Amino acid sequence: MPRDSSATKARLLDAAFSEFAAYGIAGARVDRIAEAAGANKRLIYAYFGNKEQLFDEVLRRALAAGAESVPFDADDLPGYAGAIFDHLVARPDLMRLRLWKLLERPSVTGLEPEAFQRKTAAVADAQHRGELARDMPPGDLLTMVLAAAQAWFWAAEGGDGQEGGSAWSSERLAEHRAVVVEAARRLSEPRNTGA
């Protein structure tokens, strides 16, 4: 019976995601990834190249899944920030993977520049229509909204519910989310310039 290479690739990518989120690129071990996926480690090199290329594919896949899970709406940046927050609550390992990327592969790669440029153009259009604040360049406004959505996951308080972290209570989670949405609203709301 022939092997299903797409299923093997998917298992390897899932195992690699967990490994990279836990250990970063330098600490990740190809042997552990292969074992967790129930595959031969040679397949990692055959399918993905080296460990850095595997990391890039894991990150690309995570970003694509995030873009599908959290649709962008330039006319509702507070709602977008809240949806990102919800997505990160459901997948705290994404922030760890992102942190490893920033530490070990800081140059921008993959889908990020293109996706960011599309979103920035949509923000600029909404600013032009008067739907969003115009006192910040569109890229800066989008960056600040994204930063607000991710702020609690970078904070020392933790709360991802993983080893060493304390899970947020549902009340605290709701408070964090409300602050994220309000911060995005304040950043993006058009200012009344008439006096």
Side-chain angles (χ1 to χ4, degrees):
M1 182 165 142
R3 281 189 251 169
D4 182 358
S5 64
S6 61
T8 302
K9 285 179 184 177
R11 286 195 321 272
L12 285 167
L13 287 167
D14 289 343
F17 181 94
S18 297
E19 181 77 6
F20 287 130
Y23 302 105
I25 299 171
R29 298 291 171 256
V30 172
D31 292 340
R32 286 193 302 243
I33 294 169
E35 183 180 337
N40 186 313
K41 79 175 188 178
R42 288 182 304 209
L43 291 175
I44 292 172
Y45 298 107
Y47 292 148
F48 305 106
N50 61 33
K51 188 166 63 167
E52 289 78 15
Q53 290 169 311
L54 176 59
F55 180 85
D56 290 343
E57 180 58 21
V58 165
L59 185 61
R60 187 205 62 73
R61 186 178 181 222
L63 291 172
E68 288 176 18
S69 297
V70 184
F72 179 71
D73 181 0
D75 292 326
D76 184 15
L77 291 181
Y80 179 61
I84 290 173
F85 180 86
D86 295 341
H87 185 68
L88 294 175
V89 165
R91 294 293 311 268
D93 48 356
L94 291 173
M95 284 305 294
R96 287 192 302 277
L97 185 70
R98 180 79 174 138
L99 182 56
W100 285 117
K101 189 255 187 230
L102 293 172
L103 289 170
E104 296 184 306
R105 292 182 67 83
S107 63
V108 178
T109 60
L111 302 173
E112 293 173 282
E114 183 181 313
F116 188 80
Q117 289 169 358
R118 279 194 315 271
K119 290 174 185 174
T120 299
V123 168
D125 182 55
Q127 285 177 315
H128 180 72
R129 288 184 280 115
E131 300 296 321
L132 294 176
R134 297 181 187 188
D135 54 345
M136 265 190 260
D140 291 347
L141 176 57
L142 180 57
T143 298
M144 294 306 295
V145 168
L146 291 170
Q150 299 173 33
W152 291 115
F153 302 94
W154 298 106
E157 180 182 343
D160 62 9
Q162 302 298 316
E163 287 182 35
S166 58
W168 290 323
S169 68
S170 58
E171 293 82 15
R172 190 68 177 129
L173 186 64
E175 290 170 1
H176 287 329
R177 188 185 196 286
V179 168
V180 164
V181 171
E182 179 62 14
R185 185 193 65 75
R186 289 183 187 191
L187 285 165
S188 63
E189 188 173 67
R191 310 312 186 252
N192 184 359
T193 55

